[in-house]
Amino acid sequence: MKRLWLRLSLMISGVLFFMFFMQFLSITLERTGMKEDLDGPPDAPPAEIQQRLIDFMLFSIVVGVGGGVVIGRVVSAPIIELVKAADKIGKGDLNTRVRPHGSQEMIDLADRFNKMAEELQHAETLKNNLMADVAHELRTPLTVLEGNLRAALDKVYSLDEAEIANLYGQTRHLTRLVNDLRELALAESKQLHLEKYPTDVSSLLAEVVQALDPLAAEKGVRLIYESAQLPELSVDPTRIRQAIFNLLSNALRHTPSAGKILVAGNQVKGEVVLSVKDSGEGLLPDQLAAVFDRFYRADKSRSRETGGTGLGLAIVKAIVESHGGRVQVSSEGLGKGSLFSIYLPMA
């Protein structure tokens, strides 16, 4: 890059000198009467011819060097900016961006560099948020375990059956949390293993509804299943079943007794739509945008035991997107229920 101007200068100088020399030679031959007879050069060129030749050489060098410097700077300036920006990115300054300018190729390169920087910054933000969220979520169950075990070791009180059950519940929560975090991390890093093959999605819906029907009946919630005849999709049935299970479990958690949940499957404009509609608590408009975030709980008063790990919907989103689909949520407001929909492409 540092010698680009030099190479351009030599190239321009050579071209200019060749052009000027050929023009000069043509004029000289005309003036000396030698243009018609080119059997051999004159014995010695006149002093004026020598001086003009030197002038042409000097002019070619000056113009070539000047043009090389100018063109070199114009061509290399965007590349130098990219090099400096890459150095900053390498040192951890992920806010660095470059100004797209120069040729169309350089503009395209700058745009792709900026997109890469944005993705790196987004990944770094996700990592930092995940670390903060994990630390926050692990703190409570670990504190409970440590406090109870310390009290038992200090013989403040003995661990009866109720205390042991409480400690067991905390360890189960930690196990679920670790497993959910692993699933989410694999999905978000595009490393979630998928075993796709033609699958009857209607049967998946029916299986999940049948599995959770006893829990719904115990809570006094009416579970309704409606599905059109759906085509087979090339999906990972285990992962899709997990996504449906998470949506339905979330709906049961937020639907009070005497409520109802409608599970449906439809085909709309080249997509298979799997939906879970409940008559539960509902969501505010500002909650709709955050409901798929990690560790988000719409009801802040819910404990981790009753509110789950806070990762279920985030896992649903990651699984569906890994299949090339999308997930949406809508609600008419608090107390009016929510509608979660999974859209899977048919192609």
Side-chain angles (χ1 to χ4, degrees), residues 144-163:
V144 172
L145 286 171
E146 181 183 12
N148 282 273
L149 293 174
R150 173 56 61 186
L153 289 174
D154 293 342
K155 301 186 183 306
V156 174
Y157 59 81
S158 61
L159 291 178
D160 56 18
E161 186 175 341
E163 290 295 335

Side-chain angles (χ1 to χ4, degrees), residues 186-213:
L186 289 174
E188 289 186 343
S189 62
K190 311 299 183 184
Q191 295 179 356
L192 186 64
H193 179 63
L194 299 177
E195 295 184 2
K196 294 183 177 181
Y197 54 85
T199 303
D200 185 351
V201 183
S202 299
S203 296
L204 287 184
L205 276 177
E207 289 175 13
V208 177
V209 171
Q210 184 177 5
L212 290 177
D213 188 57

Side-chain angles (χ1 to χ4, degrees), residues 3 28 30 70 93 101 129-130 134 154-155 164 173 182 199 214 243 248-249 271 285 289 291 336:
R3 298 179 180 178
T28 301
E30 287 181 354
V70 172
D93 184 6
H101 64 102
N129 291 343
L130 178 60
V134 169
D154 293 342
K155 301 186 183 306
I164 294 176
H173 173 73
R182 180 178 179 276
T199 303
L248 192 49
S249 298
E271 292 180 309
V291 73
K336 297 183 178 180

Side-chain angles (χ1 to χ4, degrees), residues 3-41:
R3 298 179 180 178
L4 177 62
W5 68 271
L6 179 60
R7 293 196 293 269
L8 288 172
S9 299
L10 292 175
M11 181 178 67
I12 295 174
S13 298
V15 172
L16 288 176
F17 178 74
F18 178 77
M19 292 173 59
F20 290 149
F21 179 76
M22 294 303 296
Q23 185 68 22
F24 166 77
L25 183 61
S26 176
I27 296 174
T28 301
L29 290 176
E30 287 181 354
R31 290 184 176 181
T32 57
M34 297 171 56
K35 189 169 185 179
E36 300 298 332
D37 185 10
L38 296 178
D39 293 336

